[in-house]
Amino acid sequence: MTSAQQSKMISRLKTYYADRQKSYTSFQAAALQFNPVMHDRDGNVKNLCAEIEKLFEQGIKLVVAPEMSTTGYGYQSREDIAPYVDTLPGHATDAISALTKKYHAYVVFGVAEKDAKTDIYYNSAALVGPEGYIGTYRKTHQWETEEHWAAWGDKGVPVFATELGNIAINVCMDAAYFESARLAAVNGADILAFPTNSSAQAVSALPARAMQNGMYIVSANRSNTELGFHMIGSSAVWSPTGKKLVEAPLIASEKEDVDAAAAYIATIDPAQYQNANKALLMQRRPELYQNLMLRVGPWDYTKSAESKHVNAVALQYTPQGSEEQNKASIQKLMENISDVDLVVLPELSLIGTFSGTPKADAKQATEFASSLAVKYGTAVIIGAVEEKDGKLYNASVLVDAAGKVAGTYYKTHLSESDRKWATAGDDIPVFSVDGIGKIGMLIGDDVCFPETAGVLATKRADVIAIPSAWYGQYGGFFEINNKLSANPFPANAMVLWDAVSEGAQAYTITANFVGGEKGYLGSSALNTLDPLYGLDQPLAASKTEEQALSMSFDTLQSSWWYNQEMLINSRRCDYYKPLVAD
């Protein structure tokens, strides 16, 4: 899509939302933390209805209840769950529809579904409203437990038009795959209802899903333990910019279980359905995302065969107005560095501050990076302006430890300021470097588009580097309860950088500027694969000081419960086609 086409599309989008907002008013939504009892479907439906009616009596217009609200979760086989499955529409939707019709409101709730025609079972969620049953979502990305009785969801991610806005549904493990929420967004969702039974992973991903897609997310979890599986509460409502509107307490252990239902209420403002994050959907580049349709697994002879131990450094400094000043800052930070395999510098590393059109400096930057590489025996990634065929590109050059160029990446998703001078790149490659493995690169605003990390995952990147110049113009710091992670995130962990590492299951190194005229926010980082359950520890540099942030990690985590191999083999590519359509 050309810039002119994008501008026209954004204008049409604004007109569309302005017209829609005339008929919408703000309303309250509730994340209902409800704990069903196994083997008691009818009792669960009765109790769920009682809790829903309490909320409707308060004027709540949308209630979201947890995954498998009518049955409990831990069933071992089709035979085990058979007495408790329900058709859609069926017993539960009939009971809840009586309330939604009476109070002119909406409910999303999880249910173990039996398809009446095929007798296939699904882990599903239903939407009911003032006219009764509206539609069903069948969980696309399942966890192991329900795999023993439930078939994979076969409906994709439908979006349902309601008088509250367009509502889509994801369920629990779906959140580990950016594609689930992205499908809702590209299909026009304003609100993502999220029933879950989460012990940490699913709920931790939601701030990023809200930011990436410009949608409200209403997340309903359980707060007790079932057959040894503990669910942590932390039900929440997230704004389209990833702000936490309300969050339930963390139930950290089985000793703290809360069996009683509780509701967490926030106001949904339809004026926010049109927002900067949703507008970014118009800047997606589906022609670059075709690799998302590839599922190269379980056999892939191109992936790295063995793990590498990597010592890396992200350099964070205040950009100055001259190349020589910035070189001096870099050299000073490098003085105490030894035994390092990879150094990452910020976006447009030597340009510093500039106005208008920058001069091409890729030759000088590459020569400087090569000198550092040879002196310190390390690969170096440096940001530069490269000229090709009369066009300027925002580039990152990867130089290996011998000082030779191993690859160059050209920023594919340009910021508004980039578009004044730069041409967008047309590939998202990986490059092999001895002693490290496959390295992928993103630059700055690329992280606003989760497809970029998804493509790097399909290409089996072992490490992702992000040269950045971030001052808060997108993304934001974590607001989720930090105690839900076994290894806590730094206080200034940036949500979208973490989304890259967890979404691609590749260790991610971000180098950012700090201070200066624009007030760059520093916080250069190592984002890791799974701090939630204790595998590794994310790191972040200072928000205010120059720093060489040192880090060490092993690239492959083949024995961990979730890793890049697991991600690749469990992706549902057959439903991702809307992500690569123009």
Side-chain angles (χ1 to χ4, degrees):
M1 184 182 292
T2 66
S3 296
Q5 288 172 323
Q6 285 184 346
S7 297
K8 184 176 180 180
M9 185 67 76
I10 291 170
S11 177
R12 290 173 60 190
L13 183 69
K14 289 180 178 179
T15 300
Y16 168 70
Y17 277 104
D19 289 342
R20 290 180 67 205
Q21 287 161 14
K22 293 175 183 177
S23 60
Y24 289 165
T25 58
S26 296
F27 61 91
Q28 289 189 309
L32 175 56
Q33 207 156 267
F34 175 79
N35 296 289
V37 176
M38 287 188 69
H39 308 116
D40 186 14
R41 186 193 71 179
D42 293 350
N44 291 328
V45 171
K46 178 181 178 181
N47 292 334
L48 180 60
C49 285
E51 297 298 334
I52 290 169
E53 186 158 26
K54 291 178 187 176
L55 294 169
F56 284 171
E57 288 173 344
Q58 299 174 43
I60 306 300
K61 288 300 179 184
L62 173 64
V63 176
V64 178
E67 180 178 13
M68 296 182 69
S69 296
T70 63
T71 57
Y73 182 69
Y75 295 90
Q76 302 299 305
S77 65
R78 275 179 56 90
E79 292 74 21
D80 191 16
I81 202 170
Y84 313 108
V85 294
D86 197 357
T87 58
L88 292 175
H91 170 70
T93 57
D94 288 348
I96 293 173
S97 291
L99 297 174
T100 57
K101 291 176 181 178
K102 177 180 178 181
Y103 292 95
H104 202 88
Y106 295 82
V107 174
V108 174
F109 67 101
V111 60
E113 179 197 1
K114 171 185 174 179
D115 186 278
K117 293 182 179 179
T118 64
D119 199 34
I120 295 172
Y121 298 169
Y122 297 94
N123 183 343
S124 297
L127 170 64
V128 294
E131 304 302 320
Y133 168 78
I134 295 172
T136 296
Y137 169 72
R138 291 171 173 167
K139 189 174 179 181
T140 305
H141 303 90
Q142 297 195 129
W143 173 234
E144 184 266 349
T145 301
E146 66 257 32
E147 292 273 77
H148 294 281
W149 61 266
W152 290 354
D154 59 357
K155 290 181 174 290
V157 183
V159 174
F160 305 101
T162 79
E163 61 191 297
L164 302 181
N166 293 338
I167 298 175
I169 307 168
N170 284 179
V171 175
C172 202
M173 190 71 180
D174 283 324
Y177 306 79
F178 83 86
E179 292 93 344
S180 311
R182 198 59 154 180
L183 287 165
V186 299
N187 287 327
D190 304 310
I191 302 167
L192 184 69
F194 191 76
T196 185
N197 286 173
S198 178
S199 60
Q201 186 195 40
V203 296
S204 72
L206 297 180
R209 301 297 174 248
M211 278 184 194
Q212 290 163 338
N213 299 295
M215 299 183 296
Y216 282 97
I217 299 181
V218 184
S219 164
N221 194 21
R222 289 177 56 178
S223 57
N224 66 359
T225 303
E226 181 184 272
L227 300 180
F229 176 59
H230 176 66
M231 292 152 282
I232 62 168
S234 298
S235 299
V237 181
W238 297 93
S239 83
T241 58
K243 295 294 183 183
K244 179 170 62 180
L245 302 182
V246 66
E247 183 181 38
L250 171 71
I251 309 301
S253 69
E254 185 173 349
K255 293 179 181 178
E256 303 168 54
D257 276 359
V258 177
D259 294 321
Y264 298 88
I265 299 167
T267 297
I268 303 291
D269 179 5
Q272 300 304 311
Y273 292 169
Q274 178 194 344
N275 59 79
N277 289 350
K278 182 170 279 188
L280 286 174
L281 293 172
M282 296 299 103
Q283 298 176 37
R284 295 173 65 251
R285 299 191 60 197
E287 72 277 11
L288 303 185
Y289 310 150
Q290 291 295 328
N291 266 64
L292 297 178
M293 295 302 299
L294 304 181
R295 183 177 175 272
V296 187
W299 303 283
D300 182 357
Y301 300 108
T302 69
K303 67 188 179 186
S304 296
E306 59 183 47
S307 184
K308 302 293 185 183
H309 184 75
V310 175
N311 296 318
V313 174
L315 297 189
Q316 173 174 296
Y317 52 93
T318 302
Q320 304 296 325
S322 78
E323 178 181 309
E324 294 307 314
Q325 287 175 305
N326 289 318
K327 284 182 178 179
S329 295
I330 293 166
Q331 289 168 328
K332 182 178 180 181
L333 289 169
M334 292 286 289
E335 286 177 358
N336 298 318
I337 289 174
S338 62
D339 189 28
V340 65
D341 304 296
L342 178 63
V343 173
V344 182
L345 281 67
E347 183 174 0
L348 301 177
S349 309
L350 303 184
I351 293 291
T353 57
F354 69 92
S355 58
T357 300
K359 292 182 179 180
D361 73 332
K363 184 176 184 295
Q364 302 94 303
T366 302
E367 290 174 351
F368 177 63
S370 295
S371 68
L372 294 176
V374 172
K375 180 177 180 179
Y376 293 96
T378 179
V380 176
I381 293 175
I382 191 166
V385 177
E386 182 164 329
E387 183 175 0
K388 291 195 309 176
D389 301 324
K391 298 177 181 179
L392 296 178
Y393 294 84
N394 186 337
S396 284
V397 182
L398 168 61
V399 177
D400 66 20
K404 296 181 179 179
V405 174
T408 301
Y409 168 69
Y410 303 104
K411 188 174 183 179
T412 52
H413 298 78
L414 302 180
S415 68
E416 183 177 354
S417 58
D418 289 328
R419 288 193 289 271
K420 294 176 181 178
W421 61 269
T423 298
D426 58 5
D427 189 22
I428 305 173
V430 295
F431 305 100
S432 294
V433 174
D434 290 344
I436 299 175
K438 290 186 171 184
I439 299 178
M441 292 181 280
L442 303 175
I443 301 175
D445 308 65
D446 283 329
V447 302
C448 297
F449 301 86
E451 294 89 348
T452 57
V455 168
L456 291 175
T458 67
K459 294 184 177 182
R460 304 309 289 265
D462 301 306
V463 178
I464 298 173
I466 309 174
S468 187
W470 179 65
Y471 52 88
Q473 68 270 43
Y474 51 80
F477 296 122
F478 271 88
E479 293 188 11
I480 202 162
N481 190 329
N482 206 12
K483 294 181 180 179
L484 65 78
S485 183
N487 294 334
F489 288 89
N492 58 325
M494 205 284 233
V495 172
L496 295 183
W497 297 341
D498 177 71
V500 170
S501 63
E502 294 202 37
Q505 282 295 290
Y507 286 94
T508 298
I509 303 162
T510 302
N512 191 36
F513 289 128
V514 64
E517 293 178 3
K518 289 191 174 181
Y520 293 106
L521 292 174
S523 307
S524 299
L526 170 68
N527 290 104
T528 62
L529 308 190
D530 185 10
L532 297 165
Y533 300 104
L535 172 66
D536 43 31
Q537 178 62 60
L539 304 174
S542 167
K543 291 171 64 176
T544 58
E545 303 295 329
E546 294 189 339
Q547 186 177 344
L549 179 68
S550 298
M551 57 197 74
S552 296
F553 53 88
D554 296 315
T555 56
L556 303 184
Q557 301 293 340
S558 301
S559 62
W560 197 244
W561 76 276
Y562 188 66
N563 52 46
Q564 193 180 74
E565 187 74 12
M566 300 290 192
L567 169 70
I568 293 299
N569 288 326
S570 55
R571 295 172 67 249
R572 296 294 309 283
C573 305
D574 43 337
Y575 290 102
Y576 301 164
K577 288 181 181 179
L579 302 183
V580 302
D582 187 357

